[in-house]
Amino acid sequence: MDLGISGKRALVCASSKGLGRGCAEALAAAGVDLVMNARGAAALEQAATEIRDAHGVKVSVVAADITDAGGRAEVLAVAGDVDILVTNAGGPPPGMWSDWERDDFIKALDANMLTPIALMTALLPGMMARGWGRVVNITSQSVKAPIAVLGLSNSARAGLTGYVAGTSRQVAPHGVTINNLLPGIHATDRADALDRGVAEAEGIGLDEARARRAATIPARRYGSPEEFGKACAFLCSQHAGFIVGQNILLDGGAVNATL
Ligand code: NAP
């Protein structure tokens, strides 16, 4: 399917690896020029080179922490008037509700709620003025079904979800859509880190921890960054202009709910 977005420009945050990389790759495959971001310069440069070589699109990189105001300003300066924004950043650490202090919440809110909101605040006016734009926020299945040890994430992402619910209706008249993609478990470094934690806590090997988790998913496997990226690219396509303010689970059926 031709996504109809060849020649457009996208900012894909936190995209040297994992789900962000999957989104960058799929947008590049649709002919979209990219601004890619991550903190580590080496992996970012390598990802950009691979994407340029594979898809022949223009790729700029900004090595910066997207959750930091200074880093964000650097990224936005290079991004300029992008047509597409994919927000993403690392997730908060797991823990126990009784251990979290105000500072832990502030950090999580900054990274996973206020950072995507700041990016939208900066880029939505240009999209609205041009009459076309797409925003996809990478959130989590924990928005629909809480993961108790990820309470910091549950809280921050719920706040972003509420913001998007209202704001998406305000920008839709201008040809701009905002939607959230909710990943269940996907095979990335983040999933490895979570599985290593389980393996250590339960005294089992990493493969066993993965197998046990996969067995709880109706699809009986982890998602891949490639399929996640393709769903993102569709939401950014010309065909998705009537999808507004939605929270789309990509979880292999893990969340057991009718709606
Ligand atoms: P990942 O494999 O660890 O990749 C994270 C990417 O983001 C890397 O490119 C990393 O590069 C970059 N990054 C992290 N923090 C950053 C920051 N502050 N500023 C700029 N770049 C940053 O993670 P992932 O699995 O793709 O997860 C992406 C998001 O989805 C996370 O918020 C995660 O909590 C959420 N999620 C993931 C899953 C899953 O199963 N994978 C499930 C639910 C939710 P640098 O380290 O070099 O910056």
Side-chain angles (χ1 to χ4, degrees):
M1 182 192 294
D2 178 1
L3 297 184
I5 49 177
S6 181
K8 297 220 180 266
R9 290 184 70 242
L11 166 59
V12 187
C13 302
S15 57
S16 64
K17 298 179 188 167
L19 303 181
R21 164 80 191 254
C23 296
E25 191 91 40
L27 287 167
V32 175
D33 294 326
L34 300 176
V35 178
M36 293 175 65
N37 151 259
R39 292 163 303 181
L44 182 61
E45 290 287 359
Q46 190 185 331
T49 301
E50 288 169 8
I51 289 177
R52 272 187 217 106
D53 291 351
H55 305 291
V57 294
K58 291 183 204 137
V59 183
S60 309
V61 295
V62 188
D65 185 338
I66 197 69
T67 69
D68 167 78
R72 210 158 43 240
E74 283 177 48
V75 171
L76 285 169
V78 173
D81 285 338
V82 289
D83 310 291
I84 294 167
L85 165 66
V86 180
T87 76
N88 187 29
M96 182 70 182
W97 65 270
S98 49
D99 295 331
W100 293 322
E101 307 281 351
R102 177 181 163 79
D103 280 354
D104 300 308
F105 282 100
I106 296 296
K107 221 170 152 184
L109 291 171
D110 254 340
N112 299 107
M113 177 185 171
L114 298 176
T115 289
I117 289 176
L119 289 162
M120 285 185 265
T121 303
L123 294 173
L124 285 171
M127 295 180 189
M128 291 164 71
R130 293 187 297 278
W132 196 94
R134 298 282 185 265
V135 178
V136 174
N137 300 297
I138 300 179
T139 67
S140 172
Q141 80 174 43
S142 70
V143 169
K144 292 232 180 190
I147 301 170
V149 294
L150 294 179
L152 294 171
S153 170
N154 300 338
S155 307
R157 297 189 197 280
L160 174 63
T161 305
Y163 172 87
V164 166
T167 306
S168 60
R169 270 85 186 177
Q170 291 179 312
V171 302
H174 304 275
V176 178
T177 70
I178 313 176
N179 292 287
N180 302 323
L181 275 181
L182 284 52
I185 197 78
H186 282 69
T188 69
D189 289 357
R190 164 87 170 169
D192 278 348
L194 294 174
D195 287 338
R196 264 196 301 278
V198 171
E200 275 164 31
E202 306 207 358
I204 56 175
L206 187 57
D207 286 346
E208 176 63 17
R210 281 195 194 113
R212 284 189 194 178
R213 195 194 293 274
T216 67
I217 303 168
R220 298 288 186 267
R221 65 176 179 87
Y222 286 16
S224 74
E226 292 75 20
E227 62 193 338
F228 187 90
K230 284 175 181 158
C232 175
F234 179 76
L235 279 181
C236 296
S237 76
Q238 294 293 357
H239 314 301
F242 211 49
I243 303 177
V244 170
Q246 297 303 299
N247 290 283
I248 297 168
L249 266 174
L250 295 177
D251 70 342
V255 172
N256 191 33
T258 304
L259 289 175

